[in-house]
Amino acid sequence: MKAHIVLLPGDGIGPEVVSQAVRVLDAIASQFRHEFVYQERLMGGCSIDKCGSSLTDETLADCQAADAVLLGAVGGPKWDNPNAKDRPERGLLALRKGLGVFANLRPVKVHPALIDASPLKPEKLQGVDILVIRELTGGLYFGWPKGRDVKDGRERAVDTLEYYDYEIRRVMELAFKLAQGRQRKVTSVDKANVLESSRLWRQIAVQVGAENPEIALEHVLVDTAAMRLITGPASMDVMVTENMFGDILTDEASVLAGSMGMLPSASLGAGRVGLYEPIHGSAPDIAGKGIANPIGMILSTAMLLRHSLGLETEAVAIEKAVDDTITAGARTADLGGKLTTTQMADEIIRRF
Ligand code: IPM
Ligand code: MG
């Protein structure tokens, strides 16, 4: 197979982990006789510096024309001025919107050998395997009106939490579809006791649930869900929630896996192109040191092969190599070890 992949290394540790993902892809290409053609582009803070915009029209068009997009991370203290016209994160949101990737899949699994790396009690972590599906192109991140003004002599800031029925339905349907191949349980997370948008969310969850009677559906309020992730994470299978709740809950859930550096993600939509990125950010504190954990990025690459290219065998080969590497005791600094980013990738690649 020949595939065309846009690379967006971005800022901070982004370039360090993306370069390891490319090594992994090259190893897969030679072993399974594929051809991956890369196009590297700027996005985020580096793009503000060089092109005057966090995401240029040309880069978005290149991403839209690709088979898949692999993204490192964006942002950093250099671009944190609250009064700046553009921010690295704006580019990321525009990219998600521009690709129409409304569902962000964030699998959270606990490797048995990493149970000790998590601050939670080992018995809570046994058998944890959650697929969080975060709605990605709606809600507070995108609702209008949004902005700052002065009203009645007071400085005011507004964000709007808005959802249309179709936006909820399509992500809910995907959650039920993916639950088919798993434990057949969907936990829909909302704040229906307070928010109107959550009442619509729950109404549609009930409708889609009725259309899929073989799947168990439960509704959990977001504050309770935050607690359940710590007190009983093994009781959850597929969790589906709106954009901002999903952002917050997946950072929390990453603690179960021992380190945020472990978690991959895939963003999918109705269109052809998928966007793949680790859930960790640009980690400015360790950027440039070569010590970042590349596993979240490498597992995102496996998700790319599975979801965008239909290469299941190759995806499993990467996931198994990562599992075996962890079992063998290889650890980067975030997991209490000494391996560099490159050494960790070496350990994974030699196990294909
Ligand atoms: C994430 C990140 C982003 C988000 C930021 C960088 C805009 O936190 O992917 O979880 O909030 O979506
Ligand atoms: Mg986040």
Side-chain angles (χ1 to χ4, degrees):
M1 134 153 347
K2 181 168 176 178
H4 167 196
I5 299 169
V6 171
L7 305 174
L8 302 173
D11 309 316
I13 60 169
E16 296 164 48
V17 291
V18 167
S19 62
Q20 302 308 319
V22 170
R23 291 181 60 217
V24 166
L25 281 171
D26 286 343
I28 288 286
S30 74
Q31 188 171 330
F32 294 86
R33 299 182 185 284
H34 299 301
E35 187 185 348
F36 300 136
V37 181
Y38 311 110
Q39 218 179 359
E40 189 169 324
R41 294 288 179 265
L42 297 172
M43 209 276 282
C46 57
S47 182
I48 296 179
D49 291 351
K50 292 225 175 71
C51 314
S53 164
S54 53
L55 175 69
T56 64
D57 293 346
E58 293 77 20
T59 295
L60 176 59
D62 287 338
C63 292
Q64 286 164 335
D67 293 308
V69 180
L70 205 53
L71 168 77
V74 297
K78 181 175 177 194
W79 306 281
D80 263 349
N81 175 2
N83 300 315
K85 280 202 307 291
D86 196 359
R87 301 175 58 92
E89 294 80 4
R90 190 202 65 83
L92 177 57
L93 300 193
L95 177 66
R96 290 170 177 171
K97 197 75 168 178
L99 292 175
V101 287
F102 60 80
N104 183 215
L105 277 48
R106 298 187 162 186
V108 182
K109 270 195 211 156
V110 180
H111 191 294
L114 288 181
I115 283 186
D116 289 340
S118 170
L120 264 75
K121 292 203 177 82
E123 63 266 27
K124 300 269 184 219
L125 294 168
Q126 220 75 50
V128 170
D129 180 358
I130 309 172
L131 175 61
V132 182
I133 303 180
R134 168 188 178 194
E135 200 290 327
L136 202 61
T137 51
L140 272 174
Y141 279 52
F142 294 95
W144 202 259
K146 176 189 272 306
R148 299 274 279 260
D149 62 5
V150 175
K151 200 174 171 188
D152 304 326
R154 298 283 183 177
E155 200 174 355
R156 186 174 77 130
V158 178
D159 292 290
T160 300
L161 175 39
E162 173 187 68
Y163 268 107
Y164 282 88
D165 53 0
Y166 77 93
E167 295 178 294
I168 302 171
R169 176 166 270 276
R170 62 190 180 184
V171 73
M172 197 61 73
E173 285 176 345
L174 181 66
F176 276 83
K177 186 173 150 200
L178 293 174
Q180 292 282 4
R182 298 176 47 100
Q183 300 300 311
R184 300 185 163 219
K185 190 169 165 198
V186 171
T187 302
S188 171
V189 175
D190 62 39
K191 186 71 184 174
N193 54 347
V194 177
L195 300 176
E196 205 53 57
S197 57
S198 277
R199 286 192 276 273
L200 180 59
W201 182 278
R202 191 173 285 211
Q203 177 188 318
I204 291 169
V206 169
Q207 284 166 10
V208 178
E211 293 157 17
N212 295 274
E214 69 289 0
I215 307 278
L217 168 66
E218 64 170 351
H219 308 280
V220 178
L221 295 172
V222 62
D223 42 359
T224 309
M227 205 169 60
R228 273 265 297 279
L229 273 176
I230 301 298
T231 56
S235 69
M236 280 182 282
D237 178 23
V238 174
M239 175 192 276
V240 59
T241 191
E242 68 95 44
N243 201 345
M244 177 156 245
F245 296 164
D247 178 44
I248 297 168
L249 292 177
T250 49
D251 266 33
E252 186 190 0
S254 75
V255 176
L256 307 172
S259 161
M260 208 179 184
M262 296 293 296
L263 292 205
S265 91
S267 303
L268 310 173
R272 214 174 49 90
V273 193
L275 170 65
Y276 301 86
E277 49 176 318
I279 87 149
H280 63 68
S282 58
D285 51 325
I286 58 162
K289 295 186 178 163
I291 58 167
N293 184 348
I295 290 182
M297 184 81 243
I298 289 172
L299 291 175
S300 301
T301 308
M303 293 186 90
L304 181 158
L305 296 176
R306 170 175 297 121
H307 295 285
S308 280
L309 307 182
L311 301 176
E312 180 66 24
T313 308
E314 291 81 342
V316 171
I318 295 178
E319 288 162 351
K320 180 164 184 316
V322 168
D323 266 8
D324 294 348
T325 302
I326 293 289
T327 305
R331 304 281 185 273
T332 39
D334 55 318
L335 298 169
K338 290 202 167 63
L339 292 189
T340 64
T341 308
T342 310
Q343 286 166 342
M344 184 59 128
D346 289 343
E347 289 296 319
I348 294 167
I349 291 168
R350 76 181 175 82
R351 289 186 166 84
F352 286 168

